Amino acid sequence: MSRPHTFTPPPCAHAHQLRTSRGDFAVLDASPPGAVRGTALLLPGYMGSKEDFVALLEPLSTAGYRTVAVDGRGQYETDGTDRQEDYEQGELARDVLAQATVLGAAGTVHLLGHSLGGQIARAAVLLDASPFRSLTLMSSGPAEVVEAQQLKVKVLGDALATLSMARVWEAMRALDPPEEVASADGEALRRRWLRHRPAQLIATGRRLVTEPDRVAELAAVPLPVHVLSGERDDTWPVPLLDDMARRLGAHRTRIAGAEHSPNTDRPQETAAAIAAYWDSL
């Protein structure tokens, strides 16, 4: 999961509930100080939340883009059910389409998804690309995660099926390197974790380890695509992301010094690359 350095949004952003035809979603909504060049919808990854994009909000809004980071259903401050079927990928993709419909006219919303969020974004585009101006896949690969990550997700799913969220959190933190525990706001991360719905984590985790390769389907959609990642990635190897970009005919960016979460590892450089891509369109 991304570990944001702060959960406090910048002054340009405000938290509210985005009302859609598929329910209300908690968002951080950052407005540009001047003319609006476009609108962007940002989807977080597995175990993440809208706060994973806090460090991107100010630079992207300063670049002229209204930037809306969202908690998906069952994530952190967006409500959800205890039914795993409510978190199937098609359901989450339809949520994204409903969010985009509220945010802008057809063909105007820049969609960005990090990791799991990228695969949900892809699914939304494959259902209906008409709301979108572009798609950015951030550290999000063509199919299932690597074998080592599959094992972690399966172990987590088994734990969530039998233990409380608090017990699972304690076990996960015990395995974290000391420097990671000290580098993030541990209590804020814990509060976020405890508000996730276990059913959401189990269902989306299952999808991460079984996701099929849908690159050819996406390549057939007439929508500009940007593949962005760090220079290292332990979830989808960077050469695999390079190959996916080639298959898509996509713009490709590697962020120096970043790993699986360039949004938190190198936010200024990441925001600059995203805004430059949107500007080019």
Side-chain angles (χ1 to χ4, degrees):
M1 64 178 169
S2 292
R3 290 176 165 84
H5 297 292
T6 179
F7 274 60
T8 303
C12 63
H14 70 286
H16 67 95
Q17 294 287 320
L18 185 71
R19 295 187 172 183
T20 80
S21 62
R22 289 179 62 84
D24 296 349
F25 296 86
V27 299
L28 294 175
D29 193 335
S31 300
V36 178
R37 295 177 59 85
T39 298
L41 175 60
L42 279 50
L43 314 182
Y46 189 57
M47 298 192 289
S49 70
K50 59 191 180 302
E51 285 72 20
D52 294 344
F53 301 113
V54 158
L56 301 185
L57 296 177
E58 188 166 30
L60 290 178
S61 64
T62 299
Y65 293 93
R66 179 190 176 192
T67 306
V68 181
V70 64
D71 288 338
R73 68 165 71 187
Q75 281 185 320
Y76 192 30
E77 294 180 322
T78 294
D79 198 13
T81 73
D82 294 324
R83 295 164 17 111
Q84 292 182 34
E85 54 266 38
D86 290 336
Y87 303 102
E88 293 297 329
Q89 190 183 78
E91 293 300 312
L92 302 181
R94 291 179 181 89
D95 289 346
V96 174
L97 294 174
Q99 294 156 13
T101 298
V102 172
L103 291 177
T108 64
V109 176
H110 295 283
L111 180 60
L112 181 150
H114 172 238
S115 195
L116 170 71
Q119 296 197 331
I120 294 169
R122 179 175 71 177
V125 167
L126 291 175
L127 279 177
D128 182 5
S130 66
F132 304 112
R133 180 68 186 92
S134 73
L135 170 64
T136 296
L137 301 173
M138 178 190 291
S139 304
S140 186
E144 76 280 0
V145 297
V146 298
E147 186 173 352
Q149 295 295 335
Q150 290 182 35
L151 178 59
K152 290 181 181 179
V153 172
K154 289 174 181 176
V155 169
L156 177 61
D158 290 343
L160 289 168
T162 57
L163 301 175
S164 70
M165 291 291 283
R167 288 285 304 278
V168 174
W169 175 256
E170 292 167 5
M172 290 194 303
R173 292 304 268 178
L175 296 174
D176 280 342
E179 62 274 15
E180 288 193 9
V181 174
S183 66
D185 186 341
E187 182 54 33
L189 290 171
R190 180 178 180 274
R191 287 196 303 269
R192 175 174 74 175
W193 170 261
L194 292 176
R195 293 188 66 175
H196 275 66
R197 292 284 183 150
Q200 188 266 353
L201 293 167
I202 293 170
T204 56
R206 184 187 307 117
R207 187 71 190 207
L208 278 173
V209 304
T210 59
E211 177 75 3
D213 187 320
R214 307 188 71 186
V215 174
E217 293 177 68
L218 183 59
V221 177
L223 183 72
V225 178
H226 182 193
V227 174
L228 183 147
S229 73
E231 59 184 353
R232 295 176 298 279
D233 197 301
D234 62 358
T235 304
W236 288 281
V238 168
L240 188 67
L241 299 175
D242 293 339
D243 181 66
M244 181 179 73
R246 179 191 59 78
R247 293 168 62 195
L248 290 169
H251 183 70
R252 179 73 173 103
T253 300
R254 292 192 194 187
I255 303 296
E259 298 189 14
H260 183 62
S261 298
N263 46 309
T264 56
D265 294 342
R266 293 289 187 272
Q268 293 297 323
E269 297 86 346
T270 300
I274 293 168
Y277 177 69
W278 293 341
D279 287 348
S280 74
L281 301 177

